[in-house]
Amino acid sequence: MRSIRQRGFSTLLPIPHRTIPEARGQDLDLITVAHSHVIHSHWHKLHSLSLSLTPFRLAHLLLALQNDHVSSLKLWNWVLQHSPSSHTLQSLSIVAHTLAKHRQFKTLQRILSSHPPSTLFDSLLHTYRLCHSSPLVFDSLFKTLAHTHKFRDATRVYVLMKEHGFSPTVESCNAFLSSLLSLRRPDIALSFYREIRRSRVSPNVYTLNMAMRAYCMLGELNRALEILHSMTDIGLRPNVVSFNTLISGCCNKGLFGMALKVKSLMGEHGVQANVVTFNALINGFCKERKLHEANRVFSEMKVAKVVPNVVTFNTLLNGYGQVGDSEMGSRVYEEMKRNGVKADILTYNALILGLCKEGKTKKAAGLVRELDKENLVPNASTFSALITGQCVRNNSERAFLVYRSMVRSGCCPNEKTFQMLISAFCKNEDFDGAVQVLRDMLDRLMSPDSSTLFELYDGLCRCGKNQLALQLCSEMEARRLLPEGFDKDKIIITLPQNEKTN
């Protein structure tokens, strides 16, 4: 965005006017015949001319079809299949201008997305006057690059558009903002937002909603709130997405008082809370393990006659599962079934986790058997929950068998699962098993946290396997997988004197 800010656009660059030589003689004859075949859809007759269709002749033919975008597009597709050698950037540009003039933007963006963007703008610019085109052709290019996440190219096109006096539409600017946020680049999104506010582009409510989201992602909730309050000053009305964005941002920061205040503002603006509003609040409370407050919001949701969906129930179930309250999880699940909401793998994973946290592994296994009946496939979270259950029961051998089954099924354990297994083996003083899991973990380029590693190394040293501990430490250090905060010198201190000197 720096290059945008540095340019003042006080002096616009002229739009070049490039012409092509007039068609004469055999060129004109072939163009006339081909034009007749195209407008009458005599494609079989056009085949005999394919070898004679030079880039020059194709350009003239496309120019002659500018008022018929349907035939122009059909010819373009025919050329790509039967005479690709006649295709040039100039012919692409003429087709693009034709589609832009007839407002065929979806087709235009599809065509533009299939070509390298480096020289597209220049080619479109040099054929702009030749085709008596619309400025929206450049806007479509900008939007296409935004949708395909080619941000450097999109920024370059934006700058060039402004330099030549073409303003992007707010819709294309919104596409750019949306793509930046989808890749979690709120800093660049806000820089671009400030740029379009300085320019002649009038933001709409979607623009401001994305600016709010960007501020929320950066944790700058007061700035997001300022945008919400400023909407009415510029003639815009905040919608339900505006409030939901801010509520979600507050919940992510644990600012539930502020989130509830924002929810109360919805009524003042005549905006009804929807399922996303309540889900955001429930999710926030569940993450903080404030299940009583989450249940209260769930009750408010039903009073407001907002129908809970699968996300609502899964969020609550996961909240109760994380704290090991299988009884409340079962109640929520029964209500879910009464409401006719179909359970998915996330539903079962939450129920299984709740049971496993309480060590109820047999009941959890019963739910796993139900998955096949529901045409659901266990995933990494399912196996991790089952491993948790065996670890709670201090059954490291069964936990390891579940882990092996997990790997065979193609599911990838995460750091938490590995650390849980290592800790379980250590508690059962099966340090060979713990080392085997650690090696599997290192093979996946993961490293345990320092506390788990201390637990393992302390056990190895206590049973006289100091040299193995030191060897593992060296291996992890060589592979740059030694966790921060782990003091390898503590291992050396515990080694016998003869091992230190070897």
Side-chain angles (χ1 to χ4, degrees), residues 36-271:
S36 175
H37 291 338
V38 172
I39 61 175
H40 291 101
S41 296
H42 294 160
W43 299 103
H44 61 286
K45 294 182 179 180
L46 199 62
H47 288 305
S48 62
L49 304 177
S50 60
L51 294 176
S52 305
L53 195 60
T54 63
F56 174 77
R57 291 168 176 175
L58 176 60
H60 271 285
L61 185 53
L62 289 169
L63 285 171
L65 291 167
Q66 284 186 91
N67 294 325
D68 184 354
H69 72 275
V70 175
S71 295
S72 183
L73 184 61
K74 285 181 178 179
L75 173 61
W76 174 251
N77 290 325
W78 182 91
V79 167
L80 291 178
Q81 185 175 357
H82 299 284
S83 184
S85 61
S86 60
H87 156 64
T88 63
L89 200 54
Q90 183 185 56
S91 56
L92 166 67
S93 300
I94 296 171
V95 173
H97 289 306
T98 300
L99 292 171
K101 286 190 292 183
H102 290 86
R103 306 184 72 83
Q104 301 298 307
F105 299 120
K106 286 187 177 179
T107 305
L108 173 56
Q109 289 175 42
R110 177 174 55 80
I111 288 177
L112 292 175
S113 66
S114 63
H115 290 76
S118 56
T119 55
L120 262 177
F121 184 89
D122 291 336
S123 180
L124 290 171
L125 187 68
H126 282 90
T127 50
Y128 179 76
R129 293 194 185 279
L130 176 68
C131 297
H132 308 288
S133 189
S134 160
L136 292 173
V137 71
F138 302 109
D139 187 72
S140 291
L141 177 58
F142 175 54
K143 186 184 289 186
T144 300
L145 294 171
H147 280 313
T148 53
H149 295 171
K150 296 176 180 175
F151 298 122
R152 288 187 179 180
D153 292 313
T155 301
R156 176 180 174 274
V157 167
Y158 177 87
V159 171
L160 291 170
M161 285 176 68
K162 301 286 284 183
E163 285 181 340
H164 289 88
F166 299 114
S167 269
T169 62
V170 66
E171 289 78 15
S172 63
C173 291
N174 287 349
F176 194 35
L177 287 170
S178 178
S179 292
L180 287 166
L181 292 177
S182 70
L183 292 182
R184 305 198 66 80
R185 291 310 306 264
D187 50 342
I188 301 178
L190 286 170
S191 181
F192 183 69
Y193 166 72
R194 287 188 285 268
E195 156 59 24
I196 62 176
R197 290 304 306 267
R198 285 191 295 268
S199 70
R200 293 176 294 173
V201 179
S202 298
N204 57 24
V205 67
Y206 304 105
T207 319
L208 297 178
N209 285 349
M210 283 187 281
M212 287 174 58
R213 184 180 162 204
Y215 278 124
C216 287
M217 289 170 74
L218 292 171
E220 299 181 31
L221 299 175
N222 288 331
R223 299 294 295 274
L225 189 59
E226 286 173 12
I227 291 181
L228 180 70
H229 290 317
S230 70
M231 283 191 185
T232 52
D233 297 336
I234 57 176
L236 297 173
R237 290 185 61 185
N239 58 20
V240 68
V241 177
S242 312
F243 291 101
N244 288 348
T245 298
L246 193 49
I247 288 169
S248 181
C250 292
C251 289
N252 288 337
K253 295 285 288 184
L255 302 174
F256 299 109
M258 185 176 178
L260 293 172
K261 285 181 182 178
V262 173
K263 181 178 175 292
S264 67
L265 288 174
M266 297 178 78
E268 296 175 19
H269 287 80
V271 178

Side-chain angles (χ1 to χ4, degrees), residues 355-370:
L355 291 167
C356 287
K357 287 255 185 173
E358 294 179 316
K360 298 176 180 177
T361 53
K362 287 186 178 179
K363 287 186 177 181
L367 284 177
V368 173
R369 286 190 290 272
E370 283 186 28

Side-chain angles (χ1 to χ4, degrees), residues 281-293:
L281 288 165
I282 291 170
N283 182 56
F285 282 124
C286 285
K287 277 186 175 179
E288 296 291 320
R289 303 200 172 192
K290 297 182 177 182
L291 278 304
H292 178 75
E293 289 85 347

